[in-house]
Amino acid sequence: MLRAMVWLLCLCNGYAVALPPMAAWLADPDGIDSHIQAPLSYQQLLDNRAKPGKTTSQGMMSLHQAKPARQLLHKGQPEKNARQLPAMQARWYLTSQGQALSLNASIQIPNQGRWDYVIGNGRHWPVPDTDDIYLVAPLHLIEKNQNCVHNGVLTLRLPESGGTGRYFYQISSETCAYYQADLWGSGKLDWQPMLQPDADDAQNAFQHWQQTAPLSPQQFARLFPDADIDTLMLKDKVTDISMLGWVHQGLHVQTHCPTRAGNYPFCRQLLLPSYSTAKSFIAGNGLMYLNALHPGLKDAPISQFIPQCSAQSWQEVTLQDLLNMRSGHFLATGYGEDEGAPHSARFFEAITHKDKITYACGQFPRQAQPGEQFVYHSSDTYLLGAALQTFVKQQYGQEHELIRDVLFAGLYQSLSLSEVARHHRHSQGQPAMPFFGYGSLLYVDDLLAIARFTQQQQYASRPLLDPVMLAQALPSQQGRGLATGFDKLAYSQGYWALDVSAELGCQTPTWLAFMSGYGGITVVLLPDNRLFYYFSDGQVFKWLSAIEALHSLSSICQQDV
């Protein structure tokens, strides 16, 4: 039982630090007041998840705003507002099997502060010799107006019949290249039992979700003894991995989700930032879908929809030019020079459409014919999203939204995506325009569903995506996409592609399409509906060795598929 747990030892930054049992925090969280106190080991949570309670309860929980968190900074600058978590709310259905089902598991957006948040499904069990309940659930903090995600755990003690309890939170991992820190602290909560109308729907959805659990690498190795598991897991290649996995012969394999406090206890619910992978499955698939519905839309000029881009230099720039990063507007042609320049902060830190569109239309002079020179700009993808949002409102009515009504209620409606995945960052105020090239959040099941859908569109008898554009996005031997100026690397319709024929020993060109995101995010679409992915934040993009390992199990070469 938690109350009987002994103190643990954890090696933190090279020092052995004594960790108090979780019950000590919940009983007297302010009594342990050391600024060097290390966070709790997640192993405690793993040990206790297997001891479910039999209580069935439904209710509303309010978590009072806690005082600023304790912080152990690993990367970035110490910022006081990062230590202040918002007041939070959650609706729960506590089942007799020990599940704690979060009934508002979509992203919650407080009016103030640094963090938005998501609280996921967890576990509950009884506190011995009391009428109280322990509840443990995933907690995800998302930086406001940005895409960084910080993952942790909420541990709560609540009175079964209602009243005041306490909670402890701990953040011990992130997918965020510029701010990395452990955060932990505690506060008071109010628990009010009451019936929740969507409890049964949540339980049915959870039971279905349980039936699709991934394999571990060890289980995969038993099925495929020749598999090079270490290579597939990118050992000694990529550090700071949040999640890694692959799909082979219809089997999904997922590794543990490492954190600085042990493996994350809710790995399948680890929240993932899209970053620029959204340029593929949001922007790319979005324009391909709308162009299939409205042939010729891709060739419409941006000036038709965006008055701020009405200058002569923009008159010939089409929506497809923007998607392909070939607007002809740039300062420097080297990869990442414009995107990583100090002036780009004016775009990424802007929160209103006015400020973002002013940068996107006015920052870069016209220096090449549209459609020719590849220069990577997230601001170009933002222009595309703003144009398509305007088109959707003109075509379908002002109440319609591009992301909500076209992409998720239209293109992706059959995929049963999570509520979190259906949310996408927009500029604040009016008009609210989608970020489009970044700003989505995903669970791994959302990622798999979208990737599988995109791959299968190539063979659909009645595809939803424009087939000509899709052939460029997912190139083959015959279609390689558009050149970028980098050897064997193409970029078309929001997707990257790499010719791996030399590395795999293929007799003909073999182009693999992939999505890529800031910090170290890669999703590779392989033949036969195979997939390889990893999310990391160490700025390392090295994955060819894993593709070679999958190729050794079944050929990836174009002539063999």
PDB file of all heavy atoms in Angstrom, residues 280-290 292-293 402-415 417 450 453-454 457 463-466 495:
ATOM      1  N   SER A 280       1.970  18.235 -43.521  1.00  0.00           N
ATOM      2  CA  SER A 280       1.588  17.081 -44.340  1.00  0.00           C
ATOM      3  C   SER A 280       0.122  16.721 -44.132  1.00  0.00           C
ATOM      4  O   SER A 280      -0.693  16.804 -45.055  1.00  0.00           O
ATOM      5  CB  SER A 280       2.485  15.882 -43.998  1.00  0.00           C
ATOM      6  OG  SER A 280       3.852  16.196 -44.088  1.00  0.00           O
ATOM      7  N   PHE A 281      -0.253  16.338 -42.914  1.00  0.00           N
ATOM      8  CA  PHE A 281      -1.600  15.771 -42.726  1.00  0.00           C
ATOM      9  C   PHE A 281      -2.683  16.820 -42.526  1.00  0.00           C
ATOM     10  O   PHE A 281      -3.871  16.504 -42.645  1.00  0.00           O
ATOM     11  CB  PHE A 281      -1.604  14.749 -41.578  1.00  0.00           C
ATOM     12  CG  PHE A 281      -1.481  15.321 -40.190  1.00  0.00           C
ATOM     13  CD1 PHE A 281      -2.600  15.730 -39.489  1.00  0.00           C
ATOM     14  CD2 PHE A 281      -0.239  15.419 -39.577  1.00  0.00           C
ATOM     15  CE1 PHE A 281      -2.492  16.239 -38.201  1.00  0.00           C
ATOM     16  CE2 PHE A 281      -0.119  15.930 -38.288  1.00  0.00           C
ATOM     17  CZ  PHE A 281      -1.247  16.346 -37.605  1.00  0.00           C
ATOM     18  N   ILE A 282      -2.314  18.069 -42.238  1.00  0.00           N
ATOM     19  CA  ILE A 282      -3.297  19.149 -42.173  1.00  0.00           C
ATOM     20  C   ILE A 282      -3.265  19.958 -43.472  1.00  0.00           C
ATOM     21  O   ILE A 282      -4.249  20.006 -44.221  1.00  0.00           O
ATOM     22  CB  ILE A 282      -3.047  20.066 -40.963  1.00  0.00           C
ATOM     23  CG1 ILE A 282      -3.283  19.303 -39.654  1.00  0.00           C
ATOM     24  CG2 ILE A 282      -3.953  21.294 -41.032  1.00  0.00           C
ATOM     25  CD1 ILE A 282      -4.727  18.964 -39.361  1.00  0.00           C
ATOM     26  N   ALA A 283      -2.132  20.594 -43.769  1.00  0.00           N
ATOM     27  CA  ALA A 283      -2.045  21.464 -44.947  1.00  0.00           C
ATOM     28  C   ALA A 283      -2.066  20.666 -46.248  1.00  0.00           C
ATOM     29  O   ALA A 283      -2.835  20.962 -47.168  1.00  0.00           O
ATOM     30  CB  ALA A 283      -0.797  22.326 -44.861  1.00  0.00           C
ATOM     31  N   GLY A 284      -1.198  19.657 -46.349  1.00  0.00           N
ATOM     32  CA  GLY A 284      -1.113  18.880 -47.590  1.00  0.00           C
ATOM     33  C   GLY A 284      -2.394  18.140 -47.894  1.00  0.00           C
ATOM     34  O   GLY A 284      -2.986  18.289 -48.969  1.00  0.00           O
ATOM     35  N   ASN A 285      -2.846  17.331 -46.947  1.00  0.00           N
ATOM     36  CA  ASN A 285      -4.083  16.579 -47.169  1.00  0.00           C
ATOM     37  C   ASN A 285      -5.279  17.522 -47.299  1.00  0.00           C
ATOM     38  O   ASN A 285      -6.239  17.231 -48.013  1.00  0.00           O
ATOM     39  CB  ASN A 285      -4.311  15.589 -46.031  1.00  0.00           C
ATOM     40  CG  ASN A 285      -3.349  14.411 -46.085  1.00  0.00           C
ATOM     41  OD1 ASN A 285      -2.416  14.405 -46.886  1.00  0.00           O
ATOM     42  ND2 ASN A 285      -3.561  13.426 -45.228  1.00  0.00           N
ATOM     43  N   GLY A 286      -5.221  18.673 -46.607  1.00  0.00           N
ATOM     44  CA  GLY A 286      -6.317  19.623 -46.683  1.00  0.00           C
ATOM     45  C   GLY A 286      -6.496  20.192 -48.086  1.00  0.00           C
ATOM     46  O   GLY A 286      -7.614  20.232 -48.620  1.00  0.00           O
ATOM     47  N   LEU A 287      -5.400  20.648 -48.704  1.00  0.00           N
ATOM     48  CA  LEU A 287      -5.520  21.187 -50.056  1.00  0.00           C
ATOM     49  C   LEU A 287      -5.839  20.085 -51.059  1.00  0.00           C
ATOM     50  O   LEU A 287      -6.627  20.300 -51.991  1.00  0.00           O
ATOM     51  CB  LEU A 287      -4.242  21.922 -50.458  1.00  0.00           C
ATOM     52  CG  LEU A 287      -4.297  22.607 -51.836  1.00  0.00           C
ATOM     53  CD1 LEU A 287      -5.462  23.587 -51.927  1.00  0.00           C
ATOM     54  CD2 LEU A 287      -2.974  23.301 -52.164  1.00  0.00           C
ATOM     55  N   MET A 288      -5.257  18.884 -50.867  1.00  0.00           N
ATOM     56  CA  MET A 288      -5.575  17.785 -51.786  1.00  0.00           C
ATOM     57  C   MET A 288      -7.056  17.417 -51.714  1.00  0.00           C
ATOM     58  O   MET A 288      -7.672  17.077 -52.732  1.00  0.00           O
ATOM     59  CB  MET A 288      -4.693  16.573 -51.477  1.00  0.00           C
ATOM     60  CG  MET A 288      -3.249  16.722 -51.934  1.00  0.00           C
ATOM     61  SD  MET A 288      -2.290  15.198 -51.788  1.00  0.00           S
ATOM     62  CE  MET A 288      -1.722  15.301 -50.094  1.00  0.00           C
ATOM     63  N   TYR A 289      -7.636  17.485 -50.541  1.00  0.00           N
ATOM     64  CA  TYR A 289      -9.058  17.175 -50.378  1.00  0.00           C
ATOM     65  C   TYR A 289      -9.933  18.252 -51.015  1.00  0.00           C
ATOM     66  O   TYR A 289     -10.851  17.952 -51.794  1.00  0.00           O
ATOM     67  CB  TYR A 289      -9.366  17.043 -48.889  1.00  0.00           C
ATOM     68  CG  TYR A 289     -10.810  16.768 -48.554  1.00  0.00           C
ATOM     69  CD1 TYR A 289     -11.497  15.700 -49.130  1.00  0.00           C
ATOM     70  CD2 TYR A 289     -11.483  17.569 -47.637  1.00  0.00           C
ATOM     71  CE1 TYR A 289     -12.821  15.439 -48.801  1.00  0.00           C
ATOM     72  CE2 TYR A 289     -12.806  17.313 -47.298  1.00  0.00           C
ATOM     73  CZ  TYR A 289     -13.472  16.248 -47.887  1.00  0.00           C
ATOM     74  OH  TYR A 289     -14.784  16.000 -47.560  1.00  0.00           O
ATOM     75  N   LEU A 290      -9.638  19.506 -50.723  1.00  0.00           N
ATOM     76  CA  LEU A 290     -10.455  20.589 -51.275  1.00  0.00           C
ATOM     77  C   LEU A 290     -10.293  20.698 -52.790  1.00  0.00           C
ATOM     78  O   LEU A 290     -11.251  21.045 -53.498  1.00  0.00           O
ATOM     79  CB  LEU A 290     -10.091  21.909 -50.602  1.00  0.00           C
ATOM     80  CG  LEU A 290     -10.740  22.137 -49.240  1.00  0.00           C
ATOM     81  CD1 LEU A 290     -10.118  23.336 -48.538  1.00  0.00           C
ATOM     82  CD2 LEU A 290     -12.246  22.322 -49.382  1.00  0.00           C
ATOM     83  N   ALA A 292      -9.846  18.169 -54.762  1.00  0.00           N
ATOM     84  CA  ALA A 292     -10.668  17.090 -55.317  1.00  0.00           C
ATOM     85  C   ALA A 292     -12.135  17.498 -55.353  1.00  0.00           C
ATOM     86  O   ALA A 292     -12.876  17.153 -56.290  1.00  0.00           O
ATOM     87  CB  ALA A 292     -10.483  15.823 -54.494  1.00  0.00           C
ATOM     88  N   LEU A 293     -12.571  18.246 -54.339  1.00  0.00           N
ATOM     89  CA  LEU A 293     -13.954  18.715 -54.301  1.00  0.00           C
ATOM     90  C   LEU A 293     -14.182  19.890 -55.244  1.00  0.00           C
ATOM     91  O   LEU A 293     -15.274  20.053 -55.811  1.00  0.00           O
ATOM     92  CB  LEU A 293     -14.320  19.139 -52.878  1.00  0.00           C
ATOM     93  CG  LEU A 293     -14.358  18.049 -51.807  1.00  0.00           C
ATOM     94  CD1 LEU A 293     -14.595  18.668 -50.435  1.00  0.00           C
ATOM     95  CD2 LEU A 293     -15.429  17.019 -52.123  1.00  0.00           C
ATOM     96  N   LEU A 402     -12.609  25.677 -41.555  1.00  0.00           N
ATOM     97  CA  LEU A 402     -11.773  24.777 -42.344  1.00  0.00           C
ATOM     98  C   LEU A 402     -11.396  23.523 -41.562  1.00  0.00           C
ATOM     99  O   LEU A 402     -11.582  22.398 -42.043  1.00  0.00           O
ATOM    100  CB  LEU A 402     -10.517  25.524 -42.804  1.00  0.00           C
ATOM    101  CG  LEU A 402      -9.391  24.696 -43.435  1.00  0.00           C
ATOM    102  CD1 LEU A 402      -9.867  24.027 -44.709  1.00  0.00           C
ATOM    103  CD2 LEU A 402      -8.170  25.582 -43.708  1.00  0.00           C
ATOM    104  N   ILE A 403     -10.846  23.701 -40.360  1.00  0.00           N
ATOM    105  CA  ILE A 403     -10.346  22.553 -39.602  1.00  0.00           C
ATOM    106  C   ILE A 403     -11.500  21.694 -39.102  1.00  0.00           C
ATOM    107  O   ILE A 403     -11.534  20.473 -39.312  1.00  0.00           O
ATOM    108  CB  ILE A 403      -9.477  23.025 -38.422  1.00  0.00           C
ATOM    109  CG1 ILE A 403      -8.275  23.835 -38.918  1.00  0.00           C
ATOM    110  CG2 ILE A 403      -9.026  21.829 -37.583  1.00  0.00           C
ATOM    111  CD1 ILE A 403      -7.287  23.056 -39.749  1.00  0.00           C
ATOM    112  N   ARG A 404     -12.461  22.316 -38.444  1.00  0.00           N
ATOM    113  CA  ARG A 404     -13.554  21.568 -37.813  1.00  0.00           C
ATOM    114  C   ARG A 404     -14.491  20.917 -38.829  1.00  0.00           C
ATOM    115  O   ARG A 404     -14.801  19.716 -38.740  1.00  0.00           O
ATOM    116  CB  ARG A 404     -14.343  22.514 -36.906  1.00  0.00           C
ATOM    117  CG  ARG A 404     -15.501  21.870 -36.150  1.00  0.00           C
ATOM    118  CD  ARG A 404     -16.363  22.933 -35.507  1.00  0.00           C
ATOM    119  NE  ARG A 404     -17.041  23.768 -36.514  1.00  0.00           N
ATOM    120  CZ  ARG A 404     -17.452  25.011 -36.282  1.00  0.00           C
ATOM    121  NH1 ARG A 404     -17.228  25.587 -35.103  1.00  0.00           N
ATOM    122  NH2 ARG A 404     -18.059  25.699 -37.241  1.00  0.00           N
ATOM    123  N   ASP A 405     -14.948  21.706 -39.814  1.00  0.00           N
ATOM    124  CA  ASP A 405     -16.037  21.248 -40.681  1.00  0.00           C
ATOM    125  C   ASP A 405     -15.565  20.587 -41.962  1.00  0.00           C
ATOM    126  O   ASP A 405     -16.302  19.776 -42.531  1.00  0.00           O
ATOM    127  CB  ASP A 405     -16.942  22.433 -41.033  1.00  0.00           C
ATOM    128  CG  ASP A 405     -17.547  23.084 -39.806  1.00  0.00           C
ATOM    129  OD1 ASP A 405     -18.063  22.350 -38.943  1.00  0.00           O
ATOM    130  OD2 ASP A 405     -17.476  24.324 -39.686  1.00  0.00           O
ATOM    131  N   VAL A 406     -14.376  20.921 -42.436  1.00  0.00           N
ATOM    132  CA  VAL A 406     -13.891  20.341 -43.682  1.00  0.00           C
ATOM    133  C   VAL A 406     -12.953  19.171 -43.413  1.00  0.00           C
ATOM    134  O   VAL A 406     -13.150  18.060 -43.914  1.00  0.00           O
ATOM    135  CB  VAL A 406     -13.201  21.404 -44.553  1.00  0.00           C
ATOM    136  CG1 VAL A 406     -12.582  20.764 -45.796  1.00  0.00           C
ATOM    137  CG2 VAL A 406     -14.194  22.485 -44.952  1.00  0.00           C
ATOM    138  N   LEU A 407     -11.937  19.406 -42.585  1.00  0.00           N
ATOM    139  CA  LEU A 407     -10.962  18.337 -42.359  1.00  0.00           C
ATOM    140  C   LEU A 407     -11.504  17.231 -41.461  1.00  0.00           C
ATOM    141  O   LEU A 407     -11.510  16.051 -41.837  1.00  0.00           O
ATOM    142  CB  LEU A 407      -9.683  18.919 -41.776  1.00  0.00           C
ATOM    143  CG  LEU A 407      -8.768  19.682 -42.752  1.00  0.00           C
ATOM    144  CD1 LEU A 407      -7.493  20.092 -42.074  1.00  0.00           C
ATOM    145  CD2 LEU A 407      -8.471  18.837 -43.980  1.00  0.00           C
ATOM    146  N   PHE A 408     -11.982  17.590 -40.270  1.00  0.00           N
ATOM    147  CA  PHE A 408     -12.320  16.538 -39.315  1.00  0.00           C
ATOM    148  C   PHE A 408     -13.757  16.039 -39.438  1.00  0.00           C
ATOM    149  O   PHE A 408     -14.031  14.874 -39.168  1.00  0.00           O
ATOM    150  CB  PHE A 408     -12.016  17.009 -37.892  1.00  0.00           C
ATOM    151  CG  PHE A 408     -10.541  17.131 -37.649  1.00  0.00           C
ATOM    152  CD1 PHE A 408      -9.929  18.364 -37.562  1.00  0.00           C
ATOM    153  CD2 PHE A 408      -9.750  16.003 -37.558  1.00  0.00           C
ATOM    154  CE1 PHE A 408      -8.565  18.478 -37.374  1.00  0.00           C
ATOM    155  CE2 PHE A 408      -8.378  16.091 -37.369  1.00  0.00           C
ATOM    156  CZ  PHE A 408      -7.780  17.330 -37.276  1.00  0.00           C
ATOM    157  N   ALA A 409     -14.675  16.888 -39.872  1.00  0.00           N
ATOM    158  CA  ALA A 409     -16.042  16.417 -40.109  1.00  0.00           C
ATOM    159  C   ALA A 409     -16.223  15.933 -41.542  1.00  0.00           C
ATOM    160  O   ALA A 409     -17.256  15.362 -41.876  1.00  0.00           O
ATOM    161  CB  ALA A 409     -17.051  17.527 -39.805  1.00  0.00           C
ATOM    162  N   GLY A 410     -15.215  16.149 -42.373  1.00  0.00           N
ATOM    163  CA  GLY A 410     -15.281  15.720 -43.759  1.00  0.00           C
ATOM    164  C   GLY A 410     -14.241  14.663 -44.078  1.00  0.00           C
ATOM    165  O   GLY A 410     -14.504  13.463 -44.057  1.00  0.00           O
ATOM    166  N   LEU A 411     -13.014  15.113 -44.327  1.00  0.00           N
ATOM    167  CA  LEU A 411     -11.957  14.199 -44.762  1.00  0.00           C
ATOM    168  C   LEU A 411     -11.707  13.072 -43.773  1.00  0.00           C
ATOM    169  O   LEU A 411     -11.607  11.901 -44.149  1.00  0.00           O
ATOM    170  CB  LEU A 411     -10.669  15.003 -44.989  1.00  0.00           C
ATOM    171  CG  LEU A 411      -9.427  14.220 -45.396  1.00  0.00           C
ATOM    172  CD1 LEU A 411      -9.635  13.531 -46.738  1.00  0.00           C
ATOM    173  CD2 LEU A 411      -8.209  15.131 -45.446  1.00  0.00           C
ATOM    174  N   TYR A 412     -11.590  13.403 -42.483  1.00  0.00           N
ATOM    175  CA  TYR A 412     -11.188  12.413 -41.476  1.00  0.00           C
ATOM    176  C   TYR A 412     -12.357  11.895 -40.642  1.00  0.00           C
ATOM    177  O   TYR A 412     -12.147  11.300 -39.589  1.00  0.00           O
ATOM    178  CB  TYR A 412     -10.152  13.041 -40.533  1.00  0.00           C
ATOM    179  CG  TYR A 412      -8.825  13.371 -41.179  1.00  0.00           C
ATOM    180  CD1 TYR A 412      -8.156  14.562 -40.866  1.00  0.00           C
ATOM    181  CD2 TYR A 412      -8.224  12.509 -42.086  1.00  0.00           C
ATOM    182  CE1 TYR A 412      -6.925  14.867 -41.446  1.00  0.00           C
ATOM    183  CE2 TYR A 412      -7.006  12.809 -42.674  1.00  0.00           C
ATOM    184  CZ  TYR A 412      -6.351  13.987 -42.351  1.00  0.00           C
ATOM    185  OH  TYR A 412      -5.135  14.283 -42.922  1.00  0.00           O
ATOM    186  N   GLN A 413     -13.586  12.082 -41.076  1.00  0.00           N
ATOM    187  CA  GLN A 413     -14.726  11.768 -40.224  1.00  0.00           C
ATOM    188  C   GLN A 413     -14.818  10.289 -39.872  1.00  0.00           C
ATOM    189  O   GLN A 413     -15.347   9.921 -38.816  1.00  0.00           O
ATOM    190  CB  GLN A 413     -16.029  12.200 -40.897  1.00  0.00           C
ATOM    191  CG  GLN A 413     -16.360  11.437 -42.173  1.00  0.00           C
ATOM    192  CD  GLN A 413     -17.755  11.766 -42.682  1.00  0.00           C
ATOM    193  OE1 GLN A 413     -18.601  12.189 -41.908  1.00  0.00           O
ATOM    194  NE2 GLN A 413     -17.981  11.581 -43.970  1.00  0.00           N
ATOM    195  N   SER A 414     -14.294   9.410 -40.698  1.00  0.00           N
ATOM    196  CA  SER A 414     -14.412   7.972 -40.459  1.00  0.00           C
ATOM    197  C   SER A 414     -13.316   7.423 -39.555  1.00  0.00           C
ATOM    198  O   SER A 414     -13.318   6.218 -39.255  1.00  0.00           O
ATOM    199  CB  SER A 414     -14.377   7.212 -41.795  1.00  0.00           C
ATOM    200  OG  SER A 414     -13.109   7.384 -42.432  1.00  0.00           O
ATOM    201  N   LEU A 415     -12.387   8.257 -39.080  1.00  0.00           N
ATOM    202  CA  LEU A 415     -11.200   7.742 -38.396  1.00  0.00           C
ATOM    203  C   LEU A 415     -11.339   7.657 -36.879  1.00  0.00           C
ATOM    204  O   LEU A 415     -10.433   7.150 -36.224  1.00  0.00           O
ATOM    205  CB  LEU A 415      -9.983   8.619 -38.741  1.00  0.00           C
ATOM    206  CG  LEU A 415      -9.625   8.727 -40.227  1.00  0.00           C
ATOM    207  CD1 LEU A 415      -8.295   9.452 -40.392  1.00  0.00           C
ATOM    208  CD2 LEU A 415      -9.589   7.367 -40.900  1.00  0.00           C
ATOM    209  N   LEU A 417     -10.984   9.888 -34.567  1.00  0.00           N
ATOM    210  CA  LEU A 417      -9.860  10.564 -33.939  1.00  0.00           C
ATOM    211  C   LEU A 417     -10.269  11.132 -32.586  1.00  0.00           C
ATOM    212  O   LEU A 417     -11.440  11.404 -32.330  1.00  0.00           O
ATOM    213  CB  LEU A 417      -9.351  11.689 -34.844  1.00  0.00           C
ATOM    214  CG  LEU A 417      -8.843  11.257 -36.222  1.00  0.00           C
ATOM    215  CD1 LEU A 417      -8.453  12.472 -37.043  1.00  0.00           C
ATOM    216  CD2 LEU A 417      -7.665  10.296 -36.102  1.00  0.00           C
ATOM    217  N   ILE A 450      -4.283   8.413 -39.149  1.00  0.00           N
ATOM    218  CA  ILE A 450      -4.086   9.378 -40.234  1.00  0.00           C
ATOM    219  C   ILE A 450      -3.075   8.855 -41.238  1.00  0.00           C
ATOM    220  O   ILE A 450      -3.266   8.982 -42.463  1.00  0.00           O
ATOM    221  CB  ILE A 450      -3.649  10.735 -39.654  1.00  0.00           C
ATOM    222  CG1 ILE A 450      -4.816  11.374 -38.882  1.00  0.00           C
ATOM    223  CG2 ILE A 450      -3.169  11.665 -40.755  1.00  0.00           C
ATOM    224  CD1 ILE A 450      -4.424  12.603 -38.089  1.00  0.00           C
ATOM    225  N   PHE A 453      -4.699   6.039 -43.275  1.00  0.00           N
ATOM    226  CA  PHE A 453      -5.663   6.624 -44.208  1.00  0.00           C
ATOM    227  C   PHE A 453      -4.951   7.216 -45.421  1.00  0.00           C
ATOM    228  O   PHE A 453      -5.356   6.996 -46.571  1.00  0.00           O
ATOM    229  CB  PHE A 453      -6.471   7.698 -43.476  1.00  0.00           C
ATOM    230  CG  PHE A 453      -7.308   8.560 -44.383  1.00  0.00           C
ATOM    231  CD1 PHE A 453      -8.567   8.155 -44.783  1.00  0.00           C
ATOM    232  CD2 PHE A 453      -6.821   9.780 -44.843  1.00  0.00           C
ATOM    233  CE1 PHE A 453      -9.338   8.946 -45.625  1.00  0.00           C
ATOM    234  CE2 PHE A 453      -7.588  10.582 -45.680  1.00  0.00           C
ATOM    235  CZ  PHE A 453      -8.847  10.163 -46.074  1.00  0.00           C
ATOM    236  N   THR A 454      -3.892   7.961 -45.193  1.00  0.00           N
ATOM    237  CA  THR A 454      -3.168   8.605 -46.290  1.00  0.00           C
ATOM    238  C   THR A 454      -2.545   7.559 -47.211  1.00  0.00           C
ATOM    239  O   THR A 454      -2.608   7.687 -48.449  1.00  0.00           O
ATOM    240  CB  THR A 454      -2.088   9.542 -45.732  1.00  0.00           C
ATOM    241  OG1 THR A 454      -2.701  10.501 -44.846  1.00  0.00           O
ATOM    242  CG2 THR A 454      -1.374  10.278 -46.848  1.00  0.00           C
ATOM    243  N   GLN A 457      -5.147   5.877 -49.432  1.00  0.00           N
ATOM    244  CA  GLN A 457      -5.728   6.714 -50.475  1.00  0.00           C
ATOM    245  C   GLN A 457      -5.091   6.447 -51.840  1.00  0.00           C
ATOM    246  O   GLN A 457      -5.707   6.677 -52.880  1.00  0.00           O
ATOM    247  CB  GLN A 457      -5.563   8.183 -50.104  1.00  0.00           C
ATOM    248  CG  GLN A 457      -6.554   8.689 -49.072  1.00  0.00           C
ATOM    249  CD  GLN A 457      -7.966   8.760 -49.625  1.00  0.00           C
ATOM    250  OE1 GLN A 457      -8.246   9.515 -50.560  1.00  0.00           O
ATOM    251  NE2 GLN A 457      -8.852   7.957 -49.075  1.00  0.00           N
ATOM    252  N   PRO A 463     -10.876   7.876 -54.397  1.00  0.00           N
ATOM    253  CA  PRO A 463     -10.070   8.575 -53.388  1.00  0.00           C
ATOM    254  C   PRO A 463     -10.675   9.927 -53.010  1.00  0.00           C
ATOM    255  O   PRO A 463     -11.291  10.612 -53.835  1.00  0.00           O
ATOM    256  CB  PRO A 463      -8.714   8.747 -54.068  1.00  0.00           C
ATOM    257  CG  PRO A 463      -9.030   8.728 -55.531  1.00  0.00           C
ATOM    258  CD  PRO A 463     -10.171   7.773 -55.691  1.00  0.00           C
ATOM    259  N   LEU A 464     -10.471  10.300 -51.761  1.00  0.00           N
ATOM    260  CA  LEU A 464     -10.896  11.611 -51.287  1.00  0.00           C
ATOM    261  C   LEU A 464      -9.854  12.685 -51.572  1.00  0.00           C
ATOM    262  O   LEU A 464     -10.172  13.868 -51.612  1.00  0.00           O
ATOM    263  CB  LEU A 464     -11.186  11.555 -49.781  1.00  0.00           C
ATOM    264  CG  LEU A 464     -12.339  10.650 -49.346  1.00  0.00           C
ATOM    265  CD1 LEU A 464     -12.462  10.647 -47.817  1.00  0.00           C
ATOM    266  CD2 LEU A 464     -13.643  11.098 -49.977  1.00  0.00           C
ATOM    267  N   LEU A 465      -8.605  12.269 -51.734  1.00  0.00           N
ATOM    268  CA  LEU A 465      -7.517  13.192 -52.025  1.00  0.00           C
ATOM    269  C   LEU A 465      -7.261  13.231 -53.527  1.00  0.00           C
ATOM    270  O   LEU A 465      -7.338  12.204 -54.209  1.00  0.00           O
ATOM    271  CB  LEU A 465      -6.240  12.777 -51.287  1.00  0.00           C
ATOM    272  CG  LEU A 465      -6.333  12.659 -49.768  1.00  0.00           C
ATOM    273  CD1 LEU A 465      -4.984  12.260 -49.182  1.00  0.00           C
ATOM    274  CD2 LEU A 465      -6.817  13.968 -49.144  1.00  0.00           C
ATOM    275  N   ASP A 466      -6.940  14.412 -54.040  1.00  0.00           N
ATOM    276  CA  ASP A 466      -6.653  14.566 -55.461  1.00  0.00           C
ATOM    277  C   ASP A 466      -5.546  13.587 -55.865  1.00  0.00           C
ATOM    278  O   ASP A 466      -4.427  13.650 -55.333  1.00  0.00           O
ATOM    279  CB  ASP A 466      -6.208  16.005 -55.729  1.00  0.00           C
ATOM    280  CG  ASP A 466      -5.947  16.271 -57.197  1.00  0.00           C
ATOM    281  OD1 ASP A 466      -4.905  15.792 -57.706  1.00  0.00           O
ATOM    282  OD2 ASP A 466      -6.763  16.945 -57.823  1.00  0.00           O
ATOM    283  N   TYR A 495       4.759  17.119 -48.141  1.00  0.00           N
ATOM    284  CA  TYR A 495       5.471  15.896 -47.739  1.00  0.00           C
ATOM    285  C   TYR A 495       6.908  15.938 -48.254  1.00  0.00           C
ATOM    286  O   TYR A 495       7.174  16.360 -49.380  1.00  0.00           O
ATOM    287  CB  TYR A 495       4.790  14.646 -48.312  1.00  0.00           C
ATOM    288  CG  TYR A 495       3.491  14.286 -47.638  1.00  0.00           C
ATOM    289  CD1 TYR A 495       2.309  14.927 -47.982  1.00  0.00           C
ATOM    290  CD2 TYR A 495       3.438  13.291 -46.666  1.00  0.00           C
ATOM    291  CE1 TYR A 495       1.106  14.600 -47.373  1.00  0.00           C
ATOM    292  CE2 TYR A 495       2.238  12.948 -46.049  1.00  0.00           C
ATOM    293  CZ  TYR A 495       1.080  13.603 -46.408  1.00  0.00           C
ATOM    294  OH  TYR A 495      -0.115  13.282 -45.787  1.00  0.00           O
TER     295      TYR A 495
END
